[in-house]
Amino acid sequence: MKIKVGILFGGTSREREISFAGGRTVYDNLNKNLFDPVPVFVDSFGNFIKLNWEFIYKGSIRDFYPAVDLLPESPNEFQVYAESLDLSEEQHKQLISSLGEKIEPSDFKKIFDFAFLCLHGPYGEDGRIQGLLEYYGMPYSGAGILSSSIGINKSIQKKLMVSAGFPSPQFHSLKRSEWISAKPDLAGIISKLGFPLVVKPANQGSSVGVSIIHEAALVSAAIDKAFFIHKITSDFWNSLDTNAQVDYVRTLSDIREGLGMPVILNNEKIIRHPEELLVTISQVLKSEKMLTLEATDSESEVLLEEFIEGKEFSCIVVQNTDGTPVALPPTEIRKGKELFDYRSKYLPGLSRKITPIDIDSSLLQKIRYNCERLYTALEFDVYARIDGFLSTKGEIFLNDPNTTSGMMPSSFFFHQAAEIGLNPSQFLTYIIHTSLSCRVADFKGSGNTVSIIKRLDVLMEGEKATDNRKKNVAVILGGYSSERHISVESGRNIYEKLASSGKFEPVPVFLTGSNEEHKLYMIPVNVLLKDNADDIKEKVDHFNVHPLISLIMHETKGITEKYSSPDALKAPAQITYSDLASMADLVFIALHGRPGEDGAVQQQLEKYGIPYNGSGIQSSKTTIDKYVTNEILMQHGFLAAKHLLVSEDDWKKSSSQVYSDLKSKLGVPFIAKPVDDGCSSAVRKIKSEKELLAFGDLIFRQQEDLEPTAAATLNIKPKEEFPRKKVFLAEELISKKDAVHFLEITGGMVTSICKDGQVKYEVFEASEALSEGEVLSLEEKFLAGQGQNITPARYAADPAERQRISEIVKKTLEGAAKVLNVVGYTRIDAFVRVYADGKVDVVFVEVNSLPGMTPATCIFHQASINHYKPHEFIEKILSFAETKRNFSAMTV
């Protein structure tokens, strides 16, 4: 009988979205032959909810908690958590029952055998949940009570580390009461610590509330930020226009960047919703010169410390088979700015992870030794993530040891485990087995933990016998377009879901090269889990096994022999499409843009008779081009925005004339974007000639780097991809017009083949995509917890009317897919207008023949409504790939 694993995720902290995404990662990657996962969502009020599995594939917690029908009207479309609502006890019960079943800790042992903790921050990695589980005799993952309570508090850690003889930068700990009432001697603290100065909350993670300060005038505001206190003056507020005030409140109410909600106004009034906050700020500052806001979820202690100039690193330490700690290869974090912030940590391509750090081997060993020594000194067990700095003088300063690592697919947790040959599924099995062994000691022989270990060992032995019956699937990822990083995320996600399915043996294949020549490389798991496509390419081009990694592989031989496969770390090998035919039963193309969505890869695969996912050659050639796609759709009676192509030659002749033509034909504002790239790459709302000039100068530039003034004009974020093209697409801004309801949607579908060879389309309920900016951003599409997609889309308040409109939308999307001959699966983006007389317009934006398949993408929560778990959805896609070649009558 499989081990039932309760995955605890969500929680009350500011890191709840990362916890939610981590819980989904664990849920997906647990080996299906060994474990039955049980999702247990911890809400922001501390309730434990045995969650219906469909909800774990929502993009963020806000997509389902609170439920859409409980959301109050928000003219500014603020996105909120449940604590912003004043729910009655009955409403709260109904909300929970709509998601699953509320369970009590005393009943945990009836529901699952083992608790896998993905909770972060207070109430998650501070010893409290660990103590609760121990009280009820429930074995759990990771560190025990004592080490967890130490690991949560950066101030306590510092003091213990110093007393244990570890070097530390100068620091000062500041209690909340001291800051609010006594006002410490900041001049003295600054004199002691110097600049730059790091200010951070003592009990938060994911870089929440952290600042790096260079001048004395900014220190007080940074301390307020770390305590989650915010002051607004009337002069500042009145200097903002209405839109800027809305954006300011939006940021202020964000749990990662601001205070979160609810907030306390001037130590008196509790404000729950951002709309109320917006109105209240304006009202109060009419008569007051300043107001103070504090988060109800505030911080008790802040740490100020000397800034260390040098290399920042992170090192996972695991418990070896003999119980001793062993440090995995430490990773250097290279980032584009001083602070490794939330966005840099979790959005692919914005930072680089260099493993191991490019320094002398003796220094690497010293870092590992110190990390292992700290692991022991703080009485950690199972695993820990220890951060630190290597100063320009060669000094090692360990910093912020964590007993719970982030478990996003690209996290250090999986990244470093891959260096010794463990894929995520195998590493999770190791963590569970090791945690069970530690709990045997913690529980002093009580409970049934020993019997669970024996069951797991038997299951693991049986699982090895199934390996030779699995189908080989080559997963092609990467590419050379601006979408290559998202392609890697999609490909990794497909690989990981197939690896844990129990039915498939995925083989990662990295594609690079050019339109003229595709270069394919079969890559090992440690290269697959590099941070982004550019890092993978660099490793493929210059592959070598670092002596330190060889040493660590020897040290961890006991782990890898039990949990990994012998060929997990084979060197990258260049292969051909012909080679794919002999090594793979199927191919999953996880590429986005060119090549992949343009028919080029499909043409090669068909040449060798290799079944593949998605549409055929001609359909792919059509849908890669947004202009051609919408032209065809309009010729068949579908609606799309007015659009024009702008060539580099037109631009060089007269950019002013281009603007004049676009203004007269499309109106202002209008949308400018590449004609053949997706993933929100370089999509901009153009509101003036200045903005179009900046857009044209960037997209037609000759050099790779962006011109700073033009980039600033378009508010391009650091390391944001902005491709170079010979032509771009300008589109009319799709607006509400005289409709009573207007929304942006993205709708997915999957196909199958009937006995007569006809293609059957299964169209999912579309998602309503909410954007906090002018266009849907890369972060909102792919960064866990950032965007919000409401599935099913809210076409109308009345359920029957909503369904009527939904059926019209689904039929329209299906009709477009048939016209374009899109098969396999697809995602179509569109706008929907609903009129007072019931008429429904569906205005097409683009058709994706190879939709993004990252963990948070909305096609998975659409599929879940139709009862497909992600691995089942992927299996259906592959099944179509296998059967479609058997029906020559089908046009592909």
Side-chain angles (χ1 to χ4, degrees):
M1 187 169 60
K2 295 179 188 178
I3 311 297
K4 291 184 178 179
V5 178
I7 304 166
L8 276 62
F9 62 99
T12 63
S13 83
R14 296 170 181 274
E15 300 174 78
R16 68 187 72 163
E17 292 290 4
I18 295 304
S19 170
F20 179 73
R24 177 172 54 227
T25 302
V26 174
Y27 185 86
D28 280 343
N29 281 282
L30 285 178
N31 188 317
K32 307 295 185 295
N33 288 332
L34 309 179
F35 306 108
D36 274 332
V38 180
V40 180
F41 174 61
V42 184
D43 72 6
S44 47
F45 306 99
N47 296 302
F48 297 93
I49 304 167
K50 183 184 175 186
L51 197 68
N52 295 338
W53 68 263
E54 295 88 350
F55 290 101
I56 201 169
Y57 295 110
K58 297 294 186 181
S60 72
I61 294 170
R62 293 177 301 183
D63 287 353
F64 67 94
Y65 201 88
V68 172
D69 57 2
L70 291 175
L71 291 172
E73 188 69 27
S74 179
N76 295 293
E77 296 184 339
F78 288 117
Q79 299 172 16
V80 298
Y81 290 97
E83 55 266 36
S84 285
L85 278 58
D86 190 11
L87 298 176
S88 67
E89 185 176 344
E90 186 57 36
Q91 283 177 315
H92 207 153
K93 285 181 180 178
Q94 290 175 358
L95 172 58
I96 290 173
S97 64
S98 70
L99 306 175
E101 174 191 359
K102 183 178 178 181
I103 56 177
E104 299 298 333
S106 57
D107 292 326
F108 283 176
K109 293 183 87 170
K110 301 174 186 176
I111 301 167
F112 47 86
D113 304 305
F114 177 85
F116 201 108
L117 300 180
C118 296
L119 298 167
H120 293 293
Y123 298 94
E125 51 182 316
D126 58 1
R128 283 184 268 202
I129 187 70
Q130 290 81 2
L132 179 69
L133 293 168
E134 288 204 16
Y135 181 82
Y136 288 106
M138 169 59 65
Y140 57 87
S141 64
I145 299 170
L146 176 61
S147 48
S148 296
S149 60
I150 293 170
I152 190 66
N153 189 292
K154 296 176 179 65
S155 178
I156 295 293
Q157 289 170 1
K158 286 282 184 189
K159 293 167 186 175
L160 289 173
M161 288 163 66
V162 169
S163 66
F166 289 90
S168 171
Q170 293 286 321
F171 68 93
H172 183 89
S173 181
L174 191 61
K175 297 286 188 182
R176 184 181 185 87
S177 57
E178 181 187 0
W179 175 241
I180 291 174
S181 60
K183 293 298 178 187
D185 176 17
L186 281 186
I189 296 170
I190 292 169
S191 175
K192 171 186 169 185
L193 302 180
F195 288 111
L197 174 70
V198 182
V199 182
K200 56 188 175 183
N203 297 285
Q204 304 292 330
S206 294
S207 299
V208 172
V210 179
S211 303
I212 297 175
I213 303 301
H214 294 265
E215 55 185 284
L218 301 177
V219 174
S220 287
I223 295 173
D224 276 347
K225 176 184 174 182
F227 277 123
F228 303 104
I229 298 170
H230 192 79
K231 297 180 174 70
I232 307 175
T233 65
S234 57
D235 288 344
F236 170 76
W237 185 252
N238 294 329
S239 72
L240 304 177
D241 63 25
T242 301
N243 289 333
Q245 289 177 348
V246 171
D247 288 342
Y248 192 83
V249 169
R250 200 182 305 282
T251 301
L252 194 62
S253 58
D254 190 287
I255 59 173
R256 297 155 300 231
E257 299 179 68
L259 301 180
M261 299 296 291
V263 294
I264 304 171
L265 171 67
N266 292 336
N267 292 317
E268 295 176 353
K269 181 180 180 182
I270 293 180
I271 300 172
R272 296 188 177 277
H273 199 283
E275 293 288 359
E276 181 188 2
L277 179 60
L278 179 65
V279 171
T280 304
I281 291 172
S282 294
Q283 288 177 340
V284 171
L285 292 179
K286 284 179 181 178
S287 56
E288 303 289 336
K289 289 186 176 181
M290 187 179 74
L291 60 78
T292 300
L293 299 169
E294 297 182 48
T296 53
D297 174 24
S298 59
E299 178 59 55
S300 59
E301 192 171 6
V302 162
L303 201 65
L304 295 86
E305 68 180 19
E306 175 188 6
F307 180 81
I308 302 299
E309 192 70 49
K311 297 178 185 289
E312 185 174 357
F313 65 82
S314 189
C315 184
I316 301 292
V317 181
V318 298
Q319 187 168 306
N320 215 335
T321 50
D322 63 358
T324 60
V326 56
L328 298 181
T331 298
E332 180 188 352
I333 304 155
R334 290 186 186 171
K335 48 202 184 295
K337 49 185 177 179
E338 289 178 326
L339 181 61
F340 189 43
D341 63 8
Y342 188 94
R343 185 170 180 264
S344 299
K345 281 185 176 182
Y346 301 117
L347 190 64
L350 295 192
S351 63
R352 293 190 65 199
K353 297 183 176 82
I354 309 299
T355 309
I357 310 170
D358 187 15
I359 54 174
D360 183 78
S361 292
S362 62
L363 262 179
L364 279 171
Q365 280 291 68
K366 190 175 179 183
I367 289 172
R368 292 187 66 228
Y369 169 74
N370 282 347
C371 289
E372 291 168 354
R373 191 164 70 88
L374 182 59
Y375 180 98
T376 301
L378 297 182
E379 299 194 33
F380 288 179
D381 50 25
V382 186
Y383 75 93
R385 194 194 83 231
I386 298 174
D387 300 335
F389 293 89
L390 177 65
S391 77
T392 51
K393 298 178 182 178
E395 302 165 293
I396 297 168
F397 296 97
L398 299 184
N399 179 56
D400 195 14
N402 291 267
T403 54
T404 300
S405 175
M407 293 189 187
M408 299 281 279
S410 59
S411 69
F412 296 111
F413 184 74
F414 296 122
H415 176 88
Q416 291 180 19
E419 292 293 348
I420 62 170
L422 295 174
N423 68 32
S425 182
Q426 293 162 342
F427 192 39
L428 292 174
T429 301
Y430 154 78
I431 291 296
I432 291 172
H433 199 288
T434 306
S435 298
L436 283 165
S437 298
C438 287
R439 298 295 88 84
V440 170
D442 291 342
F443 293 176
K444 299 178 176 58
S446 65
N448 62 343
T449 307
V450 173
S451 66
I452 298 173
I453 295 174
K454 289 178 180 178
R455 278 169 54 199
L456 181 53
D457 285 335
V458 170
L459 288 166
M460 289 174 65
E461 283 299 316
E463 204 258 344
K464 289 180 181 178
T466 67
D467 288 346
N468 60 359
R469 298 197 296 270
K470 296 177 181 178
K471 288 184 179 179
N472 291 322
V473 181
V475 181
I476 304 179
L477 65 152
Y480 38 80
S481 77
S482 62
E483 302 174 66
R484 63 195 181 280
H485 302 309
I486 298 301
S487 168
V488 166
E489 288 291 297
S490 287
R492 270 201 289 248
N493 188 41
I494 297 297
Y495 168 87
E496 290 170 0
K497 286 180 169 59
L498 292 175
S500 64
S501 69
K503 296 180 180 180
F504 299 98
E505 189 65 48
V507 179
V509 176
F510 182 70
L511 185 148
T512 183
S514 64
N515 287 335
E516 291 70 36
E517 182 187 13
H518 297 171
K519 294 181 179 179
L520 303 174
Y521 294 88
M522 191 164 58
I523 57 174
V525 66
N526 60 330
V527 175
L528 173 67
L529 266 69
K530 292 298 177 189
D531 208 40
N532 56 56
D534 295 343
D535 284 355
I536 292 175
K537 184 176 186 304
E538 181 181 347
K539 196 70 175 176
V540 165
D541 290 342
H542 309 285
F543 183 78
N544 64 80
V545 179
H546 195 283
L548 177 72
I549 292 179
S550 296
L551 174 65
I552 297 172
M553 288 169 62
H554 177 73
E555 292 176 356
T556 57
K557 190 177 179 182
I559 295 174
T560 54
E561 284 182 342
K562 183 168 184 174
Y563 299 98
S564 184
S565 53
D567 58 350
L569 294 178
K570 278 187 176 179
Q574 187 167 3
I575 59 173
T576 64
Y577 284 106
S578 175
D579 295 329
L580 277 179
S582 61
M583 61 177 274
D585 300 303
L586 295 148
V587 164
F588 196 106
I589 308 170
L591 300 165
H592 303 310
R594 295 182 190 271
E597 290 188 80
D598 61 355
V601 173
Q602 291 85 343
Q603 190 169 14
Q604 294 296 323
L605 295 174
E606 287 195 16
K607 186 187 298 184
Y608 295 101
I610 311 170
Y612 59 85
N613 59 305
S615 295
I617 299 167
Q618 190 53 52
S619 178
S620 300
K621 284 182 178 178
T622 299
T623 55
I624 188 68
D625 189 316
K626 297 180 181 69
Y627 179 86
V628 171
T629 298
N630 287 343
E631 281 288 303
I632 292 172
L633 290 175
M634 287 190 288
Q635 289 166 12
H636 285 80
F638 295 96
L639 298 176
K642 295 180 196 173
H643 53 208
L644 293 167
L645 291 175
V646 177
S647 71
E648 188 174 10
D649 288 341
D650 295 334
W651 186 259
K652 286 179 177 176
K653 285 177 187 176
S654 175
S655 56
S656 295
Q657 185 60 47
V658 168
Y659 178 74
S660 178
D661 289 345
L662 295 178
K663 182 179 179 181
S664 65
K665 293 174 182 176
L666 303 179
V668 176
F670 58 85
I671 298 295
K673 59 186 177 184
V675 72
D676 59 354
D677 276 14
C679 297
S680 297
S681 176
V683 179
R684 285 295 183 275
K685 182 178 178 181
I686 304 298
K687 303 181 290 298
S688 66
E689 184 172 2
K690 179 183 177 183
E691 290 184 347
L692 183 66
L693 288 173
F695 185 92
D697 287 347
L698 291 179
I699 206 158
F700 294 135
R701 71 192 187 280
Q702 299 303 307
Q703 74 286 353
E704 186 60 40
D705 293 339
L706 303 183
E707 197 280 315
T709 302
T713 299
L714 296 178
N715 296 315
I716 295 174
K717 296 175 182 176
K719 296 195 177 182
E720 182 178 340
E721 291 283 346
F722 204 103
R724 290 181 287 170
K725 299 288 181 179
K726 295 295 183 183
V727 64
F728 73 82
L729 180 65
E731 290 181 335
E732 166 196 21
L733 182 69
I734 301 170
S735 61
K736 184 176 182 180
K737 294 189 174 179
D738 57 347
V740 295
H741 193 42
F742 177 66
L743 63 163
E744 183 175 2
I745 65 155
T746 180
M749 61 188 77
V750 68
T751 65
S752 55
I753 298 177
C754 302
K755 290 181 180 179
D756 60 359
Q758 294 297 308
V759 178
K760 179 183 178 183
Y761 288 80
E762 182 179 356
V763 186
F764 301 144
E765 285 286 352
S767 300
E768 178 183 349
L770 303 183
S771 172
E772 293 191 333
E774 293 179 334
V775 296
L776 199 63
S777 69
L778 183 71
E779 289 92 332
E780 288 172 316
K781 282 187 175 182
F782 299 112
L783 179 54
Q786 190 71 25
Q788 186 171 12
N789 291 287
I790 305 298
T791 311
R794 300 171 294 180
Y795 299 118
D798 177 69
E801 177 64 3
R802 196 219 72 82
Q803 196 58 41
R804 181 190 74 84
I805 297 168
S806 175
E807 294 305 319
I808 293 172
V809 173
K810 288 196 286 185
K811 185 177 179 182
T812 306
L813 298 184
E814 180 180 348
K818 288 179 176 178
V819 163
L820 296 167
N821 201 26
V822 176
V823 296
Y825 65 119
T826 187
R827 192 195 80 231
I828 299 177
D829 298 334
F831 286 88
V832 174
R833 298 189 189 107
V834 181
Y835 297 90
D837 63 358
K839 179 188 172 188
V840 178
D841 283 345
V842 179
V843 187
F844 286 83
V845 177
E846 64 180 271
V847 176
N848 296 272
S849 62
L850 291 176
M853 298 289 272
T854 62
T857 191
C858 58
I859 200 166
F860 285 123
H861 28 113
Q862 293 171 12
S864 71
I865 292 177
N866 285 30
H867 310 295
Y868 296 115
K869 292 181 178 178
H871 71 276
E872 295 168 338
F873 179 49
I874 295 165
E875 188 174 345
K876 188 172 179 69
I877 292 168
L878 290 173
S879 174
F880 181 86
E882 282 188 295
T883 55
K884 71 177 180 181
R885 64 178 174 177
N886 299 326
F887 293 91
S888 57
M890 190 181 77
T891 302
V892 290

